[in-house]
């Protein structure tokens, strides 16, 4: 395996900026949960990747907090279920993964016929291409999710599911709203699945007090409750009834009917949350 030229210690991925580095932290936790006999997420590819990748996960991110690892895996499982349901309805549909990072969802739910487009920042795509094998019908695009260019790569004649797992909270609110509006305009009929954090979680990150395991979470800038998802009277108000911790939601475009897919948490360090 080659290593990043920018990495003086020769460890791939250790020179990433904070937001791209969260992809390694997420992978680390997902793999830890996947190793458990009572796991909520079977993810052998993630386990293999962590075992094979010469990166000091524990030194960088600390010891895995099992409850946190399970929470992340539950979030991933909620996204997987939405993608699997979509592919059952539209086996030749297109799945667009914004901020795909090192997610191994393709290996968990691909049906042998779907098309996949991962969109991530250049350094994350470079890392992904170095660490994960090429996969049939999967393509990675080095671009920002907030750049309209990636929409040119999606055939609007196909059924489309867009996912944004662990991404929107790191974007400025106006960029989130513009992104959803753009998807609604360009891909009518698509569904947009995303997760959102509450105000208090956001404030903790801004005060730099939030650690994901040993991984200090970068500043989060967007939260679902701060404004309606779009300045549009048809937007469903996403309120406390949707849960107070991390929420996974599906938004039908362009009419913006929102559905709660899963509400996660609270994080209880003593008890493992139910699968
Ligand atoms: C917390 S990680 C989540 C990775 C993956 N979705 C998962 O759940 O394992 C956040 C990812 O978003 C990516 N990202 C951050 N800003 C982005 C942007 N403007 N456009 C596309 N990807 C972005 C990072 O590079 C990183 O891969």
């Amino acid at each position: 395996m080659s290593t990043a030229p920018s990495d003086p210690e020769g460890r791939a991925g250790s020179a990433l900026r904070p937001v791209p580095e969260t992809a390694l932290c997420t992978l680390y936790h997902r793999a830890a949960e996947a190793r458990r006999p009572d796991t909520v997420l079977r993810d052998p590819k993630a386990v293999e990747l962590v075992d094979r990748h010469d990166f000091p996960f524990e030194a960088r991110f600390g010891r895995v907090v099992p409850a946190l690892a399970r929470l992340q895996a539950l979030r991933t499982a909620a996204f997987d279920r939405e993608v699997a349901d979509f592919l059952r309805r539209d086996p030749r549909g297109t799945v667009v993964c914004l901020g795909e990072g090192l997610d191994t969802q393709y290996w968990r739910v691909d049906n042998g016929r779907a098309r996949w487009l991962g969109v991530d920042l250049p350094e994350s795509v470079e890392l992904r291409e170095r660490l994960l094998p090429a996969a049939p019908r999967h393509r990675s695009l080095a671009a920002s999710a907030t750049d309209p260019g990636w929409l040119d790569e999606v055939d609007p004649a196909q059924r489309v599911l867009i996912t944004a797992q662990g991404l929107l909270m790191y974007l400025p609110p106006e960029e989130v709203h513009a992104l959803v509006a753009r998807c609604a305009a360009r891909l009518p009929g698509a569904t947009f699945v995303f997760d959102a954090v509450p105000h208090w979680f956001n404030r903790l990150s801004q005060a730099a007090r939030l650690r994901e395991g040993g991984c200090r979470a970068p500043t989060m800038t967007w939260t679902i409750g701060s404004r309606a998802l779009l300045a549009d009277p048809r937007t469903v108000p996403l309120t406390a009834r949707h849960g107070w911790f991390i929420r996974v939601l599906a938004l039908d475009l362009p009419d913006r009917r929102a559905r709660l897919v899963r509400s996660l948490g609270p994080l209880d360090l003593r008890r493992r949350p139910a699968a």
Side-chain angles (χ1 to χ4, degrees):
M1 183 187 307
S2 62
T3 53
S6 56
D7 176 3
E9 295 169 68
R11 288 187 297 250
S14 60
L16 290 175
R17 285 182 292 125
V19 175
E21 199 182 60
T22 58
L24 279 165
C25 192
T26 309
L27 168 73
Y28 175 48
H29 285 90
R30 214 173 52 242
E33 169 63 27
R35 288 180 206 276
R36 297 185 64 106
D38 61 346
T39 184
V40 294
L41 186 81
R42 276 189 42 76
D43 197 344
K45 200 75 184 169
V47 172
E48 179 196 324
L49 192 53
V50 168
D51 287 347
R52 227 189 43 213
H53 184 15
D54 178 24
F55 179 80
F57 285 99
E58 190 165 330
R60 187 81 186 98
F61 304 134
R63 293 184 83 105
V64 166
V65 177
L68 188 74
R70 176 153 285 206
L71 198 71
Q72 292 208 352
L74 285 169
R75 176 179 76 170
T76 299
F79 277 81
D80 280 6
R81 200 181 56 211
E82 288 303 298
V83 174
D85 285 351
F86 168 72
L87 293 182
R88 260 192 295 278
R89 288 192 305 272
D90 295 289
R92 293 185 187 278
T94 301
V95 183
V96 179
C97 306
L98 301 178
E100 187 177 33
L102 295 169
D103 196 359
T104 40
Q105 184 179 55
Y106 171 92
W107 287 273
R108 294 189 302 269
V109 298
D110 179 53
N111 63 354
R113 286 185 284 172
R115 285 180 230 192
W116 295 76
L117 178 67
V119 179
D120 208 315
L121 301 174
E123 58 195 297
S124 296
V125 167
E126 192 271 330
L127 183 66
R128 182 179 178 92
E129 290 183 340
R130 203 144 32 89
L131 299 182
L132 282 164
R137 294 164 287 96
H138 179 287
R139 199 157 62 91
S140 292
L141 185 71
S144 172
T146 59
D147 174 351
W150 65 264
L151 282 146
D152 298 335
E153 308 292 323
V154 183
D155 179 358
Q158 303 290 325
R159 300 285 296 169
V160 178
L161 182 81
I162 305 157
T163 67
Q165 183 178 183
L167 171 66
L168 300 188
M169 59 285 280
Y170 300 115
L171 302 179
E174 56 280 8
E175 297 274 14
V176 174
H177 302 163
L179 168 64
V180 176
R182 209 175 288 128
C183 292
R186 298 274 304 268
L187 299 171
T191 299
F192 193 105
V193 187
F194 63 99
D195 58 322
V197 295
H199 294 293
W200 62 265
F201 203 74
N202 193 303
R203 278 196 297 273
L204 273 183
S205 88
Q206 290 184 358
R209 280 182 283 138
L210 185 65
R211 297 183 78 81
E212 290 184 3
C215 172
R216 189 175 289 281
T219 301
M220 295 178 185
T221 44
W222 179 74
T223 166
I224 191 88
S226 59
R227 289 160 59 177
L229 188 58
L230 288 168
D232 184 325
R234 290 169 303 173
T235 302
V236 172
L238 299 164
T239 60
R241 74 192 157 85
H242 286 121
W244 66 277
F245 200 49
I246 297 171
R247 288 156 280 185
V248 180
L249 296 129
L251 199 61
D252 287 331
L253 303 175
D255 62 356
R256 295 162 200 148
R257 270 193 322 245
R259 178 166 52 84
L260 179 70
V261 170
R262 179 129 204 187
S263 183
L264 300 173
L267 179 61
D268 184 336
L269 297 179
R270 290 157 302 166
R271 264 186 323 127
R272 286 169 69 71

